[in-house]
Amino acid sequence: MRRFMLLLVAAAAVAGLTRATADVAQAASCPWMNAAQPPSVRAGELLAAMSLANKISMVTGGVRFRGENPNIGSPAYTAAIPSLCVPALVMNDGSNGIGDEQKLTTAFPDTISLAATWEPQLAQQYGQALGGEAFAKGVNVLLAPGVDIARNPLGGRNFEYLGEDPFLTGQLAAAMVGGIQSRDVISTVKHFALDDQETNRNTDSSDASERTMQEIDLPAFDVAAHAGAGAVMCAYNRINSVYACESPYTLEQVLDDQFAFTGFTMSDWHATHSTAPSADTGLDLEMPAGEKYYGAALQAAVTKGQVSEATLNGMVYRILCSMFRVGLFDHVPSEGQQAAATTATNAESIATATQIAENGTVLLKNANAVLPLGSAPGKRIAVFGPAAGGFGAALASQGYGSGHVPVLWYQPGIVPPFQAIAARAARAGDTATYSEGYNLQEASTQAAGASVAVVFVNDVETEGADRPSLEAKMGTCSFVLPFLMPNSCIYFGPNQNTLVSAVAAANPHTIVVVQSGDPIAMPWLEQVQGVVENWYPGQVDGNSIAPILFGDVDPSGKLPITFPGRLSEDSLQSAAQYPGVIEAGDSVGPHSLYSEELLVGYKWYDGEGIPPLFPFGFGLSYTTFGYSGLSVTSSGDGAVATFTLANTGSRPGADTAQVYVGMPASTGEPPRQLKGFSKLSLNPGQSQTVSIPLSATSFAHWETSSRQWVVSGGSYQIYVGDSSRDLPLQASLELPSSELGAGVY
Ligand code: BGC
């Protein structure tokens, strides 16, 4: 097959069409272009042919966006070496679509929406779509997925991540990695590690115990590394006082030794802080530009013997191996104007985007079955909120920063919610009106005259700044005026809480659609009948919410992040925990103490016995489900939980069955931890036997003294249900003590 591909590319070379032409023409002088050889052999051969200058070029990023960059629109690259048939590494952000300055790509829903689907298969499909669009735009290294854990609901980048739970995050991230790399594009798992806040992100030290890191922050990286991720990006922050990009604990002990990671590491943009210490610790590639610590500085260090050539060889070898393994030498994308002009977005991507946005939408409240909107024609639907209109939708449908896809100017086809609702209403014989909601009196009058009112509430979030509070605020962030307001947001629009209250006072059938990447406070919750969390749906926007409102699609999303119970709980962490405090003798920056240890997200609410507003794993459906007959049996070195899930309502729908494990009290673990899940679609009256495997590590905790996963002998509780707080089935399992070693998460 690969030989066949080479022939095809060779044919193109004759026509003089692509950059691959030059490489293939030289393949005769590049023995490592023989795709039949294993990646390790090819990398070894190529490395042996490289000069010192070639090697330095491989570990040093190039300038951004234009200039020498072979690819218009991407933020950085490493240079090709045509004489050795080495293609450029062209990098682009891509958690939520192929963004940065790219045009004609799909603005997918933000990753938190994918997390809310709880569908690894869809994550794989999403990865394929991302990888395909990346390749079409000339990109062969995608800077995604982001797998940092949502430690705090104010985190500015939570929308780019996969929620608060390491198990859910790991499963979805691994599937995304597989999908991206199936398209000959390296997936970069980021930000390694404990990069959980934007406040002081370049200087803050995340101070956590080894057990906390191993059980909360690192597992998703482990699973993604084992899924074959080609690259890992080390983070801006410090970890226990050491910069993440030169941290011996995370880079050497964990990534290399424990995870046996076979890819390469790159720094986050300007996150390198040294030459020899970084190289010796295992930072393989300085990004974005090597004017500082790698490049000439590294070359000088090697020449002077401060960094050994063996170390440099190891760095280059890891990059080359990854490139060969993922297929970058054998499948070279187009570049320059040709890539820039390519339309990467396509019907399949948009279908995937729609599926993610729909399946990730979470129905939080549905009093008196206000949803779905009834099928009797003649309803008057009053829609409110800037986010539902054209310009507002372009601002409100994504988070900001490097994960933003520039939909406002460049991309085709954002579908504003009002447009989609009005079109669907017309088909149903209903009518729809729209008001942004600045004039409260006018909004009240419109609401009073309607059969049902739908208010869009938006929260604007960005890389580079945490949220000031849990209160939802409409606005826009740095990408509009990046030089005037870097890493910050401006807020405008009506006071959304006042708008909801005014509309709800005028119309008892009020539904709020929230578009956010994080939990928001809902002071009006008791005043409205319906609440739907639509996250940031990207360009499909209204096309993902209208079908839910009208019942064409059953809402099946489940929260990947806990919604705090009281507004004051945005300060549920002390200042020492977040945003951190200055420590005597440390002039670099503050320290954020992870003193909550394992009690992150729902584990904190469970551990403290505090009711959240909406718990992790929660989400309603238009139908109902019943759970029965749990049995748990040992299987291999783990177990399997078997039970029956039934659709007990009158409509088809999907539910995500969740399995939580409670470990013996002596382990000091949180009361319950997610260790398995499965989403099933069922027709009314249909039931299905579900078997969910639980690996040995489902029952293990990290023992710091012996640096490994251990199972304590005793009784383990297995809970099954469809949210972390609704677990009707329970069984127990006796397990003997055992030691599992370090590398088996
Ligand atoms: C972000 C990364 C991103 C990089 C390149 C950094 O500021 O932290 O997530 O991949 O920029 O745009």
Side-chain angles (χ1 to χ4, degrees), residues 75 93 100 143 157 190-191 201 233 236 268-269 402 463:
D93 283 294
D100 300 317
L143 307 174
R157 294 187 89 170
K190 68 188 189 184
H191 309 87
R201 69 171 177 166
M233 180 190 287
Y236 284 125
D268 200 341
W269 270 221
S402 57
E463 173 183 347

Side-chain angles (χ1 to χ4, degrees), residues 215 661-667 669-673 675 697-701 710 715-717:
E215 295 197 19
V661 172
M663 304 200 194
S666 60
T667 60
E669 289 289 300
R672 288 177 292 280
Q673 301 181 58
K675 296 295 178 184
T697 40
S698 309
F699 306 100
H701 66 275
V710 297
S715 178
Y716 286 75
Q717 303 306 309

Side-chain angles (χ1 to χ4, degrees), residues 635-700:
S635 162
D637 54 2
V640 59
T642 305
F643 53 92
T644 302
L645 174 58
N647 181 341
T648 52
S650 55
R651 302 171 60 101
D655 199 23
T656 298
Q658 301 160 38
V659 182
Y660 293 79
V661 172
M663 304 200 194
S666 60
T667 60
E669 289 289 300
R672 288 177 292 280
Q673 301 181 58
L674 181 76
K675 296 295 178 184
F677 60 89
S678 178
K679 188 167 182 174
L680 274 89
S681 293
L682 295 172
N683 286 319
Q686 191 188 355
S687 65
Q688 197 166 317
T689 304
V690 187
S691 289
I692 297 186
L694 297 165
S695 70
T697 40
S698 309
F699 306 100

Side-chain angles (χ1 to χ4, degrees), residues 361-431:
T361 295
V362 186
L363 179 61
L364 292 173
K365 178 173 180 181
N366 197 16
N368 296 341
V370 64
L371 286 171
L373 301 176
S375 54
K379 291 182 292 298
R380 296 176 312 282
I381 304 165
V383 180
F384 302 94
F391 181 66
L395 296 181
S397 55
Q398 299 177 68
Y400 289 83
S402 57
H404 191 91
V405 181
V407 71
L408 189 53
W409 298 310
Y410 301 145
Q411 312 293 326
I414 186 157
V415 183
F418 176 65
Q419 183 186 311
I421 291 170
R424 181 61 181 81
R427 288 211 306 281
D430 299 332
T431 52

Side-chain angles (χ1 to χ4, degrees), residues 589-609:
H591 291 246
S592 299
L593 187 60
Y594 283 40
S595 53
E596 71 280 4
E597 303 209 312
L598 308 178
L599 298 183
V600 176
Y602 65 94
K603 297 166 188 169
W604 182 82
Y605 288 86
D606 291 349
E608 298 291 322

